[in-house]
Structure formats: structure tokens, C-alpha cells
Amino acid sequence: MLQRIVLIALVLVTGVTSAQKINWMSMNDALAAQEKEPRLIFVDMYTKWCGPCKMMDRDTFSNADVADYINENYYAVKFNAEGDEQVRFNDKDFSNPNYDPAKATRRNSVHQFTRHVGVRAYPTVVFISKESEVLTTVKSYRKPQQLELYLKLF
């Protein structure tokens, strides 16, 4: 009997944990998916050295309600604002020509796409329409309830 209770508890905990995971993808993958099935794009612009970015991962993006809502209504992109990913957005190519791999875990040069969408602080979330237009940017750390207000606006 005790083994059954433990097994049921493990199944429930595993189910809750998996429900709290956002299905992150690259910017290019989100844009490709958007062509097949139009949906808003939610972009988390972060850097590897940013403390509030890590707090958003821990506190906000792991929240079950936030994760479920994002997964159901958006293509979710986690974009390193100082990384070296190549992005094609609205028929323009963006890169980070001054990226230094030796600085991969600390401040690096800003990606061209980061500048293009108007991000100047981290963390910032960017909302992109089904037509690939930037709707708005929301900078700074947000608690789950604060972010949910923005998620439900669009």
C-alpha cells in the first residue's frame, strides 16, 4: 500500500514539474513555425551574466501558470542578447560580428537583432505579432503575476 502511495505521489510530482516547463525554441525555429501556424512570439532576451535574468528563469518562467499560458498561446524564444546565433527576421540577416567566444559567460558585444528590436536592458521580453512586427518590449525582472498581465494583453 505504501509503495502505491509513493508511486502515485511520484507520478503527480513528475506531471506538475513537466507542466512548468516552457517549450523554448530558437528565433529562426519560431519564425518558421509561425509561417505554418501563425501565433504570437514571446522572446526572452537574456544574457549569461545577468542576475535578474536567472531570477526570471527561477521564479517566473518556472511558474506553472506562466509556462502553461506561454506554451498554449505563443512560440517561446530564449535569445541570448549577446550570443552568436544567426537570425533572419523580416528578410534581414542579423548576427553578432564582434562576438568573442572567450567572453561567452561574461559581458560580450550586443547582437544586431537585440538592437533591432530596441532592447537596451536585461532581462527584457519582446512580444512579436503574427505578422512579425514588434508589438512591445517589457524590460526588467517581472514576477509571475506581473508578467501574466502582459501575456494576456495580446
Side-chain angles (χ1 to χ4, degrees):
M1 181 68 168
L2 182 60
Q3 289 175 331
R4 284 187 185 163
I5 293 171
V6 170
L7 181 61
I8 291 170
L10 281 173
V11 169
L12 290 174
V13 168
T14 303
V16 169
T17 302
S18 64
Q20 295 176 348
K21 209 168 202 181
I22 294 176
N23 300 321
W24 297 111
M25 57 178 57
S26 72
M27 190 66 205
N28 290 323
D29 289 344
L31 292 167
Q34 193 181 51
E35 286 182 17
K36 295 175 186 171
E37 183 184 329
R39 191 188 284 192
L40 297 168
I41 297 176
F42 173 89
V43 184
D44 171 32
M45 289 277 191
Y46 76 98
T47 64
K48 292 190 176 187
W49 52 263
C50 168
C53 299
K54 293 173 186 175
M55 289 171 54
M56 287 273 290
D57 284 339
R58 183 190 69 216
D59 302 337
T60 306
F61 297 139
S62 66
N63 177 279
D65 293 333
V66 169
D68 289 343
Y69 194 85
I70 288 174
N71 287 336
E72 289 173 18
N73 297 284
Y74 293 88
Y75 292 118
V77 173
K78 195 150 197 59
F79 189 82
N80 183 348
E82 296 180 351
D84 62 345
E85 180 180 345
Q86 302 293 313
V87 175
R88 182 154 185 83
F89 182 72
N90 289 340
D91 298 322
K92 294 179 185 168
D93 293 318
F94 298 94
S95 65
N96 190 348
N98 297 318
Y99 177 78
D100 182 355
K103 296 179 181 177
T105 58
R106 56 187 204 270
R107 289 188 185 266
N108 215 317
S109 64
V110 178
H111 197 285
Q112 292 171 340
F113 181 66
T114 303
R115 285 197 175 114
H116 179 74
V117 297
V119 173
R120 290 172 176 68
Y122 313 114
T124 295
V125 294
V126 181
F127 291 89
I128 298 175
S129 73
K130 295 176 183 178
E131 295 78 27
S132 296
E133 297 172 358
V134 175
L135 296 170
T136 194
T137 59
V138 180
K139 67 180 178 178
S140 189
Y141 170 83
R142 302 288 170 178
K143 293 178 183 176
Q145 298 80 5
Q146 294 171 316
L147 185 60
E148 282 179 30
L149 294 172
Y150 290 99
L151 290 170
K152 294 175 180 176
L153 273 175
F154 303 105

